[in-house]
Amino acid sequence: MPEYRRAYVPGGTFFLTLVTFERQRLLAETDNAARLRLALAAVKRERPFQVVAAAVMPDHIHFVWALPEDDGDFSSRVGRLKVLFTRSLSESHTEPGNSRSRLRHRDRNIWQRRFWEHAIRDERDLERHIDYLHYNPVKHGLVSCPHLWPYSSFARWVRRGAYTTSWCCVCEGRTISSPDFSDISDTVGE
């Protein structure tokens, strides 16, 4: 089996995708979204980094993280986030029937063991991944427009002037064509 090597770039910016075990809709629960937020804040206190953009979906999360100049270790931060979130859940979220491998690794049935990462190459790459992340709730049929999804950084980016609230919006009878993300489809982990 080929050995996978992650792209650790000190001071890098990374697009990350974390998926729940068997695509459980754990993150659709408001309490769990709050638990995730607390876990993320704890990880940021322990090992600072910037959350550039985020979208929390019912069964997965997309992040863009910017790491400190001398630090490229996003993996341990992701691992810590998963651990803190998992610990915050009640035992009722652990399904029986773990495989031997998951038991040996002390994995509960909360997260897929691995995650997807992409090292952002340049400003255009960053822009495309942030657009993808903000459009993701529409892509998955959760809302009709990005501004309607409460669990993303879209509103923050609107306040910064990077988007208007009408970006990819069909409110008031607007017609849009869905963005084409085929140029980054191999980097987003879905």
Side-chain angles (χ1 to χ4, degrees), residues 133-171:
L133 174 152
H134 287 139
Y135 190 74
N136 208 242
V138 177
K139 173 189 169 200
H140 287 282
L142 300 169
V143 290
S144 58
C145 308
H147 70 90
L148 297 173
W149 188 246
Y151 305 110
S152 83
S153 57
F154 184 74
R156 187 177 70 190
W157 281 84
V158 168
R159 286 191 301 275
R160 289 181 178 172
Y163 295 103
T164 64
T165 53
S166 63
W167 181 76
C168 292
C169 179
V170 296
C171 293

Side-chain angles (χ1 to χ4, degrees), residues 17-97:
T17 302
L18 289 69
V19 181
T20 60
F21 181 71
E22 295 183 347
R23 293 262 181 188
Q24 297 173 84
R25 296 176 58 84
L26 285 176
L27 304 171
E29 299 173 30
T30 305
D31 289 348
N32 288 346
R35 286 181 180 95
L36 180 66
R37 190 174 291 117
L38 290 172
L40 182 63
V43 174
K44 286 178 65 179
R45 279 191 306 276
E46 293 170 7
R47 305 234 2 241
F49 63 96
Q50 178 188 3
V51 177
V52 176
V56 178
M57 310 299 287
D59 61 359
H60 67 284
I61 310 163
H62 294 299
F63 287 117
V64 175
W65 288 356
L67 298 186
E69 195 173 301
D70 60 343
D71 187 345
D73 185 11
F74 54 84
S75 259
S76 63
R77 288 171 172 91
V78 168
R80 184 73 174 139
L81 176 66
K82 287 179 171 184
V83 164
L84 292 174
F85 176 79
T86 300
R87 285 181 184 164
S88 73
L89 294 174
S90 68
E91 288 298 316
S92 65
H93 284 90
T94 303
E95 297 177 11

Side-chain angles (χ1 to χ4, degrees), residues 99-115:
S99 69
R100 286 185 186 181
S101 173
R102 289 186 74 80
L103 289 171
R104 184 173 55 250
H105 288 95
R106 299 182 329 183
D107 288 343
R108 288 177 55 187
N109 290 340
I110 305 299
W111 297 104
Q112 283 185 3
R113 187 172 293 152
R114 301 195 187 279
F115 65 92

